[in-house]
Amino acid sequence: MNRCFSMLLAIMTVIKPCSITIRVILSGYRIAENTAGVKNAGALIGILERLILLMLLLVGQYGAIGFVLTAKSVARYNKIAEDPKFGEYYLLGTLLSSMLVIAVYMLILN
């Protein structure tokens, strides 16, 4: 029962508190966005990314975490290569998101 509660707490933490933390920290680094992307898709992608990373940590698949982060970067490669400011913002968000998942895993599930 205690393990189930810990897992539920970790999942809820990487969904909402981590999203808010990332939004607040990155608010000072906003870049002008002139994309025609889907509204709020980035936030959902971030949540899914954090949940996937948490699951991979739980099952000890540390190498697969690199694969997830690489796949995410490949999907945005052109934008990153063309716009250095976006590349820095993207890297900040990715590293912050990953760091928060690792912290949640270490503090709640270990």
Side-chain angles (χ1 to χ4, degrees):
M1 184 64 174
N2 191 25
R3 181 73 174 168
C4 289
F5 177 74
S6 295
M7 291 199 37
L8 183 60
L9 179 61
I11 290 167
M12 290 183 342
T13 302
V14 298
I15 290 175
K16 199 60 176 177
C18 286
S19 296
I20 294 169
T21 303
I22 292 166
R23 189 178 320 118
V24 168
I25 291 173
L26 292 182
S27 67
Y29 299 96
R30 285 277 180 212
I31 56 174
E33 293 185 31
N34 53 357
T35 62
V38 178
K39 185 177 180 183
N40 295 325
L44 181 57
I45 290 168
I47 290 170
L48 293 173
E49 170 193 345
R50 288 189 297 278
L51 288 171
I52 290 168
L53 293 182
L54 184 62
M55 285 188 256
L56 292 173
L57 284 170
L58 285 168
V59 296
Q61 292 297 318
Y62 309 115
I65 291 171
F67 175 75
V68 170
L69 298 176
T70 301
K72 182 180 169 194
S73 296
V74 167
R76 287 291 203 149
Y77 178 77
N78 286 339
K79 180 98 170 137
I80 293 168
E82 293 170 3
D83 187 354
K85 288 181 182 179
F86 174 80
E88 290 175 356
Y89 180 78
Y90 180 83
L91 184 59
L92 277 172
T94 300
L95 292 175
L96 181 58
S97 183
S98 300
M99 183 190 72
L100 288 171
V101 171
I102 293 168
V104 166
Y105 174 76
M106 291 175 65
L107 291 171
I108 297 175
L109 296 170
N110 255 348

